[in-house]
Amino acid sequence: QVQLVESGGGLVQAGGSLRLSCAASGRTFSNYAMGWFRQAPGKERQFVAAIVWSTGSTVYTDSVKGRFTISRDNAKNTVYLQMNSLKPEDTAVYYCAIRPGPFTSPVGPYDYWGQGTQVTVSS
């Protein structure tokens, strides 16, 4: 089993910043990616960003490029999502997830999910 625990969500004004954290524990994998997804009310869950753990390679959805940064801390088995210049349309529940390898793309699909953390951006 894999446990993923997100933290760092909250309420912020437009233009502000938040940093989300996701700590992983339990089963380990030799090759995997960790990703962030979000789901706004009434909308489907959307891919935000992912990082390949072994190489540090990252990928982002177009709407967050230049504003969000995904990073990892190997020692803490933790992935972060630094979110800057937040917009009201970034409001959503943010989930982290793990995709065990092998894979050709870190975008998806993902097998293990956290419980989510709410991010609300006020205008």
Side-chain angles (χ1 to χ4, degrees), residues 7-62:
S7 60
L11 173 64
V12 64
Q13 289 188 333
S17 299
L18 283 174
R19 189 177 81 154
L20 306 182
S21 301
C22 175
S25 62
R27 181 181 176 184
T28 59
F29 305 96
S30 59
N31 179 27
Y32 61 100
M34 290 192 72
W36 287 98
F37 293 74
R38 65 187 180 187
Q39 187 167 20
K43 296 188 176 181
E44 293 187 351
R45 188 163 54 194
Q46 173 193 27
F47 170 82
V48 176
I51 186 166
V52 179
W53 205 261
S54 59
T55 66
S57 176
T58 59
V59 61
Y60 299 90
T61 192
D62 286 346

Short mmCIF file of all heavy atoms in Angstrom, two decimals, residues 7-62:
data_model
loop_
_atom_site.label_atom_id
_atom_site.label_comp_id
_atom_site.label_asym_id
_atom_site.label_seq_id
_atom_site.Cartn_x
_atom_site.Cartn_y
_atom_site.Cartn_z
N SER A 7 -0.70 18.57 1.97
CA SER A 7 -0.90 19.68 2.90
C SER A 7 -0.53 20.97 2.20
O SER A 7 0.07 20.94 1.12
CB SER A 7 -0.05 19.49 4.17
OG SER A 7 1.32 19.43 3.84
N GLY A 8 -0.89 22.08 2.82
CA GLY A 8 -0.48 23.38 2.30
C GLY A 8 -1.57 24.17 1.60
O GLY A 8 -1.33 25.30 1.19
N GLY A 9 -2.73 23.58 1.44
CA GLY A 9 -3.81 24.34 0.80
C GLY A 9 -4.33 25.44 1.70
O GLY A 9 -3.95 25.55 2.87
N GLY A 10 -5.18 26.27 1.13
CA GLY A 10 -5.75 27.36 1.91
C GLY A 10 -6.41 28.39 1.04
O GLY A 10 -6.65 28.16 -0.15
N LEU A 11 -6.69 29.54 1.65
CA LEU A 11 -7.32 30.66 0.97
C LEU A 11 -6.28 31.74 0.73
O LEU A 11 -5.56 32.13 1.65
CB LEU A 11 -8.47 31.21 1.83
CG LEU A 11 -9.15 32.49 1.35
CD1 LEU A 11 -9.84 32.27 0.02
CD2 LEU A 11 -10.14 32.98 2.40
N VAL A 12 -6.21 32.21 -0.50
CA VAL A 12 -5.23 33.24 -0.86
C VAL A 12 -5.86 34.20 -1.85
O VAL A 12 -6.76 33.82 -2.62
CB VAL A 12 -3.95 32.59 -1.43
CG1 VAL A 12 -4.24 31.86 -2.73
CG2 VAL A 12 -2.83 33.59 -1.59
N GLN A 13 -5.41 35.43 -1.84
CA GLN A 13 -5.91 36.40 -2.81
C GLN A 13 -5.23 36.19 -4.16
O GLN A 13 -4.12 35.67 -4.24
CB GLN A 13 -5.65 37.81 -2.32
CG GLN A 13 -6.52 38.24 -1.14
CD GLN A 13 -6.35 39.71 -0.81
OE1 GLN A 13 -5.30 40.30 -1.06
NE2 GLN A 13 -7.37 40.31 -0.23
N ALA A 14 -5.91 36.62 -5.19
CA ALA A 14 -5.34 36.55 -6.53
C ALA A 14 -3.98 37.25 -6.55
O ALA A 14 -3.82 38.33 -5.96
CB ALA A 14 -6.29 37.18 -7.54
N GLY A 15 -3.03 36.62 -7.23
CA GLY A 15 -1.67 37.14 -7.27
C GLY A 15 -0.77 36.59 -6.19
O GLY A 15 0.44 36.77 -6.23
N GLY A 16 -1.36 35.91 -5.21
CA GLY A 16 -0.60 35.35 -4.11
C GLY A 16 0.03 34.01 -4.43
O GLY A 16 -0.05 33.53 -5.57
N SER A 17 0.63 33.42 -3.41
CA SER A 17 1.35 32.15 -3.58
C SER A 17 0.97 31.16 -2.49
O SER A 17 0.60 31.55 -1.38
CB SER A 17 2.87 32.38 -3.51
OG SER A 17 3.31 33.24 -4.54
N LEU A 18 1.09 29.89 -2.86
CA LEU A 18 0.95 28.80 -1.91
C LEU A 18 1.93 27.71 -2.30
O LEU A 18 2.27 27.58 -3.49
CB LEU A 18 -0.47 28.21 -1.93
CG LEU A 18 -1.59 28.96 -1.22
CD1 LEU A 18 -2.92 28.26 -1.51
CD2 LEU A 18 -1.35 29.07 0.26
N ARG A 19 2.35 26.92 -1.33
CA ARG A 19 3.17 25.75 -1.62
C ARG A 19 2.49 24.52 -1.06
O ARG A 19 2.26 24.43 0.16
CB ARG A 19 4.58 25.86 -1.05
CG ARG A 19 5.48 24.74 -1.56
CD ARG A 19 6.91 24.84 -1.06
NE ARG A 19 7.07 24.33 0.30
CZ ARG A 19 8.20 23.85 0.78
NH1 ARG A 19 9.28 23.81 0.01
NH2 ARG A 19 8.27 23.42 2.01
N LEU A 20 2.18 23.60 -1.93
CA LEU A 20 1.59 22.33 -1.53
C LEU A 20 2.69 21.29 -1.33
O LEU A 20 3.70 21.30 -2.03
CB LEU A 20 0.61 21.82 -2.58
CG LEU A 20 -0.51 22.78 -3.00
CD1 LEU A 20 -1.42 22.09 -4.01
CD2 LEU A 20 -1.28 23.27 -1.81
N SER A 21 2.46 20.43 -0.36
CA SER A 21 3.38 19.32 -0.10
C SER A 21 2.61 18.01 -0.16
O SER A 21 1.43 17.96 0.17
CB SER A 21 4.02 19.46 1.28
OG SER A 21 4.72 20.67 1.41
N CYS A 22 3.32 16.96 -0.54
CA CYS A 22 2.72 15.62 -0.56
C CYS A 22 3.79 14.64 -0.11
O CYS A 22 4.78 14.44 -0.81
CB CYS A 22 2.23 15.27 -1.95
SG CYS A 22 1.62 13.56 -2.08
N ALA A 23 3.57 14.06 1.06
CA ALA A 23 4.50 13.10 1.61
C ALA A 23 4.04 11.68 1.29
O ALA A 23 2.89 11.33 1.54
CB ALA A 23 4.61 13.28 3.12
N ALA A 24 4.96 10.88 0.75
CA ALA A 24 4.65 9.51 0.38
C ALA A 24 5.27 8.53 1.37
O ALA A 24 6.38 8.74 1.84
CB ALA A 24 5.17 9.22 -1.02
N SER A 25 4.54 7.46 1.65
CA SER A 25 5.06 6.41 2.54
C SER A 25 4.46 5.08 2.12
O SER A 25 3.51 5.02 1.33
CB SER A 25 4.72 6.72 3.99
OG SER A 25 3.33 6.76 4.19
N GLY A 26 5.04 4.02 2.67
CA GLY A 26 4.54 2.69 2.36
C GLY A 26 5.37 2.03 1.28
O GLY A 26 6.59 2.14 1.26
N ARG A 27 4.69 1.38 0.35
CA ARG A 27 5.35 0.64 -0.73
C ARG A 27 6.25 1.57 -1.54
O ARG A 27 5.88 2.71 -1.81
CB ARG A 27 4.31 -0.01 -1.63
CG ARG A 27 4.87 -0.82 -2.77
CD ARG A 27 3.75 -1.41 -3.61
NE ARG A 27 4.25 -2.12 -4.78
CZ ARG A 27 3.48 -2.64 -5.71
NH1 ARG A 27 2.17 -2.55 -5.62
NH2 ARG A 27 4.02 -3.24 -6.75
N THR A 28 7.40 1.06 -1.93
CA THR A 28 8.31 1.86 -2.74
C THR A 28 8.41 1.28 -4.14
O THR A 28 8.10 0.10 -4.36
CB THR A 28 9.70 1.92 -2.10
OG1 THR A 28 10.21 0.58 -1.97
CG2 THR A 28 9.64 2.56 -0.73
N PHE A 29 8.85 2.11 -5.07
CA PHE A 29 9.00 1.72 -6.46
C PHE A 29 10.38 2.15 -6.94
O PHE A 29 10.91 3.17 -6.52
CB PHE A 29 7.93 2.38 -7.32
CG PHE A 29 6.52 2.12 -6.85
CD1 PHE A 29 5.87 3.04 -6.03
CD2 PHE A 29 5.85 0.96 -7.22
CE1 PHE A 29 4.59 2.80 -5.59
CE2 PHE A 29 4.57 0.72 -6.78
CZ PHE A 29 3.93 1.64 -5.96
N SER A 30 10.92 1.38 -7.86
CA SER A 30 12.24 1.72 -8.38
C SER A 30 12.17 2.80 -9.44
O SER A 30 13.12 3.52 -9.67
CB SER A 30 12.91 0.47 -8.95
OG SER A 30 12.11 -0.07 -9.99
N ASN A 31 11.03 2.91 -10.08
CA ASN A 31 10.88 3.88 -11.15
C ASN A 31 9.44 4.40 -11.09
O ASN A 31 8.50 3.62 -11.21
CB ASN A 31 11.15 3.24 -12.51
CG ASN A 31 10.98 4.21 -13.64
OD1 ASN A 31 11.15 5.42 -13.47
ND2 ASN A 31 10.63 3.71 -14.80
N TYR A 32 9.29 5.69 -10.89
CA TYR A 32 7.94 6.22 -10.78
C TYR A 32 7.91 7.72 -11.04
O TYR A 32 8.95 8.37 -11.09
CB TYR A 32 7.34 5.90 -9.41
CG TYR A 32 8.09 6.50 -8.24
CD1 TYR A 32 7.64 7.67 -7.63
CD2 TYR A 32 9.23 5.89 -7.74
CE1 TYR A 32 8.31 8.20 -6.55
CE2 TYR A 32 9.92 6.42 -6.67
CZ TYR A 32 9.45 7.58 -6.08
OH TYR A 32 10.12 8.10 -5.01
N ALA A 33 6.73 8.20 -11.23
CA ALA A 33 6.49 9.63 -11.34
C ALA A 33 5.49 10.04 -10.28
O ALA A 33 4.65 9.24 -9.85
CB ALA A 33 5.93 9.98 -12.72
N MET A 34 5.60 11.27 -9.86
CA MET A 34 4.60 11.84 -8.96
C MET A 34 3.99 13.04 -9.63
O MET A 34 4.69 13.83 -10.27
CB MET A 34 5.21 12.22 -7.62
CG MET A 34 5.60 11.02 -6.78
SD MET A 34 5.99 11.42 -5.06
CE MET A 34 4.36 11.79 -4.41
N GLY A 35 2.70 13.15 -9.50
CA GLY A 35 2.00 14.22 -10.18
C GLY A 35 1.03 14.95 -9.28
O GLY A 35 0.66 14.47 -8.20
N TRP A 36 0.65 16.13 -9.74
CA TRP A 36 -0.39 16.92 -9.11
C TRP A 36 -1.55 17.08 -10.10
O TRP A 36 -1.32 17.35 -11.28
CB TRP A 36 0.12 18.30 -8.72
CG TRP A 36 1.02 18.30 -7.53
CD1 TRP A 36 2.39 18.32 -7.54
CD2 TRP A 36 0.63 18.31 -6.15
NE1 TRP A 36 2.87 18.32 -6.25
CE2 TRP A 36 1.81 18.31 -5.38
CE3 TRP A 36 -0.60 18.30 -5.49
CZ2 TRP A 36 1.79 18.31 -3.99
CZ3 TRP A 36 -0.62 18.29 -4.12
CH2 TRP A 36 0.56 18.30 -3.37
N PHE A 37 -2.73 16.90 -9.57
CA PHE A 37 -3.96 17.07 -10.34
C PHE A 37 -4.87 18.01 -9.56
O PHE A 37 -4.66 18.24 -8.36
CB PHE A 37 -4.66 15.72 -10.54
CG PHE A 37 -3.90 14.76 -11.40
CD1 PHE A 37 -2.77 14.10 -10.94
CD2 PHE A 37 -4.31 14.51 -12.70
CE1 PHE A 37 -2.07 13.22 -11.74
CE2 PHE A 37 -3.62 13.63 -13.51
CZ PHE A 37 -2.50 12.99 -13.03
N ARG A 38 -5.88 18.54 -10.22
CA ARG A 38 -6.84 19.37 -9.52
C ARG A 38 -8.23 19.15 -10.08
O ARG A 38 -8.39 18.78 -11.25
CB ARG A 38 -6.46 20.84 -9.61
CG ARG A 38 -6.49 21.43 -11.00
CD ARG A 38 -5.93 22.86 -10.99
NE ARG A 38 -5.94 23.48 -12.31
CZ ARG A 38 -5.38 24.66 -12.58
NH1 ARG A 38 -4.78 25.35 -11.62
NH2 ARG A 38 -5.45 25.14 -13.80
N GLN A 39 -9.21 19.38 -9.23
CA GLN A 39 -10.60 19.24 -9.65
C GLN A 39 -11.41 20.38 -9.06
O GLN A 39 -11.51 20.51 -7.84
CB GLN A 39 -11.17 17.89 -9.20
CG GLN A 39 -12.55 17.62 -9.76
CD GLN A 39 -12.98 16.17 -9.57
OE1 GLN A 39 -12.45 15.44 -8.73
NE2 GLN A 39 -13.95 15.74 -10.36
N ALA A 40 -11.95 21.18 -9.96
CA ALA A 40 -12.82 22.28 -9.56
C ALA A 40 -14.27 21.78 -9.50
O ALA A 40 -14.61 20.78 -10.14
CB ALA A 40 -12.70 23.42 -10.56
N PRO A 41 -15.12 22.46 -8.75
CA PRO A 41 -16.52 22.03 -8.64
C PRO A 41 -17.18 21.93 -10.01
O PRO A 41 -17.08 22.85 -10.83
CB PRO A 41 -17.16 23.14 -7.79
CG PRO A 41 -16.03 23.68 -6.99
CD PRO A 41 -14.83 23.62 -7.89
N GLY A 42 -17.80 20.79 -10.25
CA GLY A 42 -18.52 20.59 -11.50
C GLY A 42 -17.66 20.29 -12.70
O GLY A 42 -18.17 20.20 -13.82
N LYS A 43 -16.35 20.13 -12.47
CA LYS A 43 -15.43 19.86 -13.59
C LYS A 43 -14.70 18.55 -13.37
O LYS A 43 -14.63 18.03 -12.26
CB LYS A 43 -14.44 21.01 -13.75
CG LYS A 43 -15.08 22.33 -14.13
CD LYS A 43 -14.03 23.37 -14.44
CE LYS A 43 -14.66 24.67 -14.91
NZ LYS A 43 -13.64 25.70 -15.25
N GLU A 44 -14.14 18.02 -14.46
CA GLU A 44 -13.36 16.80 -14.37
C GLU A 44 -11.99 17.09 -13.76
O GLU A 44 -11.48 18.21 -13.83
CB GLU A 44 -13.20 16.18 -15.76
CG GLU A 44 -14.50 15.66 -16.35
CD GLU A 44 -14.27 14.92 -17.64
OE1 GLU A 44 -13.13 14.93 -18.16
OE2 GLU A 44 -15.24 14.31 -18.15
N ARG A 45 -11.41 16.06 -13.19
CA ARG A 45 -10.06 16.20 -12.66
C ARG A 45 -9.09 16.48 -13.79
O ARG A 45 -9.16 15.87 -14.86
CB ARG A 45 -9.67 14.93 -11.91
CG ARG A 45 -8.36 15.05 -11.14
CD ARG A 45 -8.24 13.94 -10.12
NE ARG A 45 -8.40 12.64 -10.71
CZ ARG A 45 -8.61 11.53 -10.00
NH1 ARG A 45 -8.73 11.60 -8.68
NH2 ARG A 45 -8.74 10.37 -10.62
N GLN A 46 -8.16 17.40 -13.54
CA GLN A 46 -7.26 17.89 -14.57
C GLN A 46 -5.81 17.68 -14.14
O GLN A 46 -5.46 17.94 -12.98
CB GLN A 46 -7.50 19.39 -14.77
CG GLN A 46 -6.54 20.09 -15.69
CD GLN A 46 -6.64 21.61 -15.60
OE1 GLN A 46 -7.02 22.17 -14.59
NE2 GLN A 46 -6.29 22.28 -16.69
N PHE A 47 -4.98 17.26 -15.08
CA PHE A 47 -3.54 17.15 -14.83
C PHE A 47 -2.95 18.54 -14.67
O PHE A 47 -3.27 19.45 -15.43
CB PHE A 47 -2.87 16.42 -15.99
CG PHE A 47 -1.37 16.46 -15.94
CD1 PHE A 47 -0.67 15.58 -15.15
CD2 PHE A 47 -0.67 17.39 -16.69
CE1 PHE A 47 0.71 15.61 -15.10
CE2 PHE A 47 0.72 17.44 -16.65
CZ PHE A 47 1.41 16.55 -15.85
N VAL A 48 -2.05 18.70 -13.67
CA VAL A 48 -1.39 19.99 -13.44
C VAL A 48 0.10 19.90 -13.75
O VAL A 48 0.63 20.67 -14.55
CB VAL A 48 -1.60 20.46 -12.00
CG1 VAL A 48 -0.83 21.75 -11.74
CG2 VAL A 48 -3.09 20.66 -11.70
N ALA A 49 0.78 18.97 -13.10
CA ALA A 49 2.23 18.86 -13.26
C ALA A 49 2.67 17.49 -12.79
O ALA A 49 1.98 16.84 -12.01
CB ALA A 49 2.95 19.95 -12.46
N ALA A 50 3.84 17.08 -13.26
CA ALA A 50 4.41 15.80 -12.83
C ALA A 50 5.92 15.87 -12.87
O ALA A 50 6.51 16.68 -13.60
CB ALA A 50 3.92 14.65 -13.71
N ILE A 51 6.53 15.01 -12.07
CA ILE A 51 7.98 14.92 -12.03
C ILE A 51 8.38 13.45 -12.02
O ILE A 51 7.78 12.63 -11.30
CB ILE A 51 8.55 15.66 -10.79
CG1 ILE A 51 10.07 15.69 -10.81
CG2 ILE A 51 8.02 15.06 -9.49
CD1 ILE A 51 10.66 16.69 -9.82
N VAL A 52 9.36 13.12 -12.85
CA VAL A 52 9.92 11.78 -12.86
C VAL A 52 10.95 11.71 -11.75
O VAL A 52 11.92 12.47 -11.75
CB VAL A 52 10.56 11.44 -14.22
CG1 VAL A 52 11.16 10.04 -14.18
CG2 VAL A 52 9.53 11.55 -15.33
N TRP A 53 10.72 10.81 -10.79
CA TRP A 53 11.52 10.85 -9.57
C TRP A 53 13.00 10.64 -9.82
O TRP A 53 13.85 11.30 -9.23
CB TRP A 53 11.00 9.80 -8.58
CG TRP A 53 11.33 10.16 -7.18
CD1 TRP A 53 12.36 9.68 -6.43
CD2 TRP A 53 10.63 11.10 -6.36
NE1 TRP A 53 12.36 10.27 -5.19
CE2 TRP A 53 11.31 11.14 -5.12
CE3 TRP A 53 9.52 11.91 -6.56
CZ2 TRP A 53 10.88 11.96 -4.08
CZ3 TRP A 53 9.11 12.72 -5.52
CH2 TRP A 53 9.78 12.74 -4.30
N SER A 54 13.34 9.71 -10.70
CA SER A 54 14.74 9.35 -10.89
C SER A 54 15.53 10.42 -11.63
O SER A 54 16.72 10.61 -11.37
CB SER A 54 14.84 8.04 -11.65
OG SER A 54 14.21 8.14 -12.92
N THR A 55 14.88 11.14 -12.55
CA THR A 55 15.60 12.10 -13.38
C THR A 55 15.32 13.55 -13.02
O THR A 55 16.09 14.43 -13.37
CB THR A 55 15.24 11.90 -14.85
OG1 THR A 55 13.85 12.23 -15.04
CG2 THR A 55 15.49 10.47 -15.30
N GLY A 56 14.21 13.79 -12.34
CA GLY A 56 13.81 15.17 -12.07
C GLY A 56 13.14 15.84 -13.23
O GLY A 56 12.82 17.04 -13.15
N SER A 57 12.92 15.13 -14.30
CA SER A 57 12.25 15.71 -15.46
C SER A 57 10.82 16.10 -15.09
O SER A 57 10.13 15.36 -14.38
CB SER A 57 12.24 14.70 -16.60
OG SER A 57 11.52 15.20 -17.70
N THR A 58 10.39 17.26 -15.58
CA THR A 58 9.07 17.78 -15.22
C THR A 58 8.23 18.07 -16.45
O THR A 58 8.75 18.28 -17.55
CB THR A 58 9.20 19.06 -14.38
OG1 THR A 58 9.90 20.05 -15.14
CG2 THR A 58 9.94 18.82 -13.09
N VAL A 59 6.94 18.08 -16.24
CA VAL A 59 5.99 18.44 -17.29
C VAL A 59 4.84 19.19 -16.64
O VAL A 59 4.47 18.89 -15.49
CB VAL A 59 5.51 17.19 -18.06
CG1 VAL A 59 4.80 16.21 -17.14
CG2 VAL A 59 4.65 17.57 -19.24
N TYR A 60 4.29 20.17 -17.36
CA TYR A 60 3.22 21.02 -16.84
C TYR A 60 2.10 21.16 -17.86
O TYR A 60 2.35 21.15 -19.07
CB TYR A 60 3.73 22.42 -16.52
CG TYR A 60 4.82 22.47 -15.48
CD1 TYR A 60 6.16 22.38 -15.85
CD2 TYR A 60 4.52 22.64 -14.13
CE1 TYR A 60 7.17 22.43 -14.90
CE2 TYR A 60 5.52 22.69 -13.17
CZ TYR A 60 6.84 22.58 -13.57
OH TYR A 60 7.84 22.63 -12.62
N THR A 61 0.91 21.35 -17.37
CA THR A 61 -0.16 21.74 -18.26
C THR A 61 0.05 23.20 -18.64
O THR A 61 0.64 23.98 -17.88
CB THR A 61 -1.53 21.53 -17.60
OG1 THR A 61 -2.56 21.65 -18.58
CG2 THR A 61 -1.79 22.53 -16.48
N ASP A 62 -0.40 23.59 -19.81
CA ASP A 62 -0.09 24.91 -20.35
C ASP A 62 -0.56 26.05 -19.43
O ASP A 62 0.11 27.07 -19.31
CB ASP A 62 -0.74 25.08 -21.72
CG ASP A 62 0.00 24.29 -22.80
OD1 ASP A 62 1.14 23.85 -22.55
OD2 ASP A 62 -0.57 24.13 -23.90
#
